[in-house]
Amino acid sequence: MARRVFRAAMSLIIAMSSQLICLADCAAQVRMGAEMGFLDVPQVSRLVGSGGMHIAPGVSSSSLIFHNPSSVADSVGGEISLSVMPVTEGIKYASAAYAFNVGGVGTFAVGLLYAGYGDFVRRDETGAEMGQFVANEGALYLSYAKTLAPWLRLGATFKPIYSKMADYTAFAIAMDMGATLSFVEGRLNVAVTVNNAGGVVKKYSEDEASRPLPIDVKAGLSYKPLHAPFRVLLTVKDLTQWDLSPKRDKSLNVGDNILRHTLIGLEFVPVRAFYVTMGYDHRRRRELTASDAGGMAGFAWGAGLHVAKIDIQYAHCRYHVSGSLNSITIATNWRRWVKR
């Protein structure tokens, strides 16, 4: 039975992905060169270690508001999560999320996403210093999710977005929408999301050319075999743009291009309170591998532990031979601390 359901889910996700690719290609939507790319940075350490922005992780957390609003389950009501990701040269990402239940209505969540790019030296046309300026961006996530059937959960997020680059500011409004289907007692999860659907309402300057937000359509699944201590994750992303090759004037390598759309993750979960995960992003490896050194670009790993009512997650993601990203997420549910 489980094998038949798994094969059916795989067929469903492949069919949906093909249709979404077809629709996106016909609509000629462009994802590269979009505004406010910080929205594309994964915010959950467990997912960072699994390869990136998986949308059907098979577990739930308030921090999943940043990836798939329908993954924020009723069971995480009361949970607070914090994530920090220092990158390099003063660049850092941080996020916070909180989820709460309203009886008979559904689960609500609120999240804050911040990206800081450090301090910069301001210079005039002659190169003389004229002080410093900062650059940062942020977004507020307001989310709602509801279970419509034991196997179906829907969610949506409204998010105003702010960006400041020196003396210039920009504003945008976007929405995320997601659907998660669960089968085989929750061991098989299939999800589809539309992220960053919206537009810029105020540009940095009137002379600036209009550019879209980084809208993305994803489809994904996770599967944990019965009695097995591992979970497999697969996500197909960037479905609004079929050709992800850097040189579009040359013939397309279809196999390589398909892999550029794919995130692959594997979790080892021997006990509920501990996990180890690893993942691979082929597009990241192809674009960030140095010509004379492959290194571990595109690979990621992580681990998590539940200690004294607190969940601690850590992930290491290799972006290039010269740099990596380390992510830490800490979460707890205030209900665990209340004596009953």
Side-chain angles (χ1 to χ4, degrees):
M1 176 63 181
R3 291 182 178 178
R4 289 198 298 271
V5 174
F6 180 71
R7 287 197 293 267
M10 285 293 293
S11 300
L12 175 64
I13 193 173
I14 292 173
M16 293 176 68
S17 300
S18 300
Q19 290 299 318
L20 289 169
I21 290 173
C22 218
L23 289 171
D25 189 53
C26 292
Q29 297 188 43
V30 178
R31 178 164 159 76
M32 290 184 175
E35 296 275 12
M36 302 180 183
F38 78 105
L39 298 171
D40 264 350
V41 178
Q43 296 300 314
V44 188
S45 296
R46 187 165 189 160
L47 301 188
V48 173
S50 298
M53 299 183 74
H54 291 287
I55 61 170
V59 294
S60 188
S61 169
S62 59
S63 56
L64 291 175
I65 185 178
F66 301 109
H67 301 275
N68 177 4
S70 65
S71 289
V72 182
D74 296 338
S75 59
V76 300
E79 183 184 274
I80 304 169
S81 63
L82 301 171
S83 296
V84 179
M85 290 173 290
V87 185
T88 182
E89 299 297 332
I91 300 174
K92 55 184 176 295
Y93 296 92
S95 62
Y98 173 67
F100 60 95
N101 300 325
V102 176
V105 179
T107 301
F108 293 84
V110 58
L112 289 171
L113 173 58
Y114 171 80
Y117 306 113
D119 298 325
F120 297 85
V121 177
R122 189 193 301 268
R123 300 178 185 274
D124 62 16
E125 62 274 10
T126 66
E129 292 191 14
M130 299 178 60
Q132 292 185 328
F133 67 91
V134 298
N136 52 60
E137 297 177 296
L140 172 65
Y141 286 64
L142 302 172
S143 180
Y144 169 71
K146 184 174 179 61
T147 299
L148 301 184
W151 53 272
L152 175 63
R153 187 170 178 83
L154 301 180
T157 298
F158 171 78
K159 53 186 183 186
I161 308 160
Y162 168 80
S163 179
K164 178 179 177 59
M165 303 294 168
D167 299 327
Y168 301 93
T169 58
F171 295 93
I173 294 177
M175 286 194 67
D176 297 341
M177 293 160 282
T180 299
L181 293 80
S182 297
F183 307 99
V184 200
E185 298 178 343
R187 292 186 289 107
L188 172 62
N189 295 275
V190 180
V192 176
T193 62
V194 178
N195 300 95
N196 307 320
V200 177
V201 296
K202 179 186 180 298
K203 299 185 293 185
Y204 293 106
S205 69
E206 294 300 325
D207 299 332
E208 180 194 12
S210 296
R211 293 190 296 171
L213 293 179
I215 186 171
D216 191 9
V217 178
K218 301 186 185 76
L221 66 80
S222 65
Y223 179 63
K224 185 181 184 302
L226 184 64
H227 304 309
F230 65 87
R231 179 183 289 109
V232 179
L233 298 93
L234 174 67
T235 297
V236 186
K237 59 188 179 69
D238 295 307
L239 296 181
T240 55
Q241 185 167 318
W242 164 240
D243 187 357
L244 296 181
S245 60
K247 298 180 180 179
R248 294 184 177 79
D249 56 335
K250 296 185 178 181
S251 60
L252 177 67
N253 184 324
V254 177
D256 177 72
N257 191 63
I258 290 175
L259 289 175
R260 286 173 182 261
H261 285 272
T262 307
L263 296 175
I264 302 172
L266 178 65
E267 286 187 352
F268 175 62
V269 192
V271 293
R272 179 175 294 183
F274 175 74
Y275 75 86
V276 176
T277 187
M278 62 187 68
Y280 177 67
D281 183 336
H282 184 72
R283 183 182 180 186
R284 186 188 303 148
R285 179 166 182 80
R286 294 286 288 171
E287 293 183 353
L288 297 180
T289 297
S291 59
D292 58 346
M296 294 295 290
F299 289 91
W301 63 270
L305 185 65
H306 176 78
V307 181
K309 305 177 184 179
I310 298 176
D311 296 308
I312 304 173
Q313 304 173 10
Y314 169 78
H316 177 87
C317 179
R318 194 70 173 172
Y319 272 80
H320 190 269
V321 293
S322 62
S324 301
L325 179 149
N326 294 288
S327 173
I328 298 175
T329 298
I330 298 176
T332 189
N333 195 311
W334 65 266
R335 299 178 188 274
R336 299 173 184 168
W337 302 86
V338 177
K339 294 183 178 180
R340 297 184 180 182

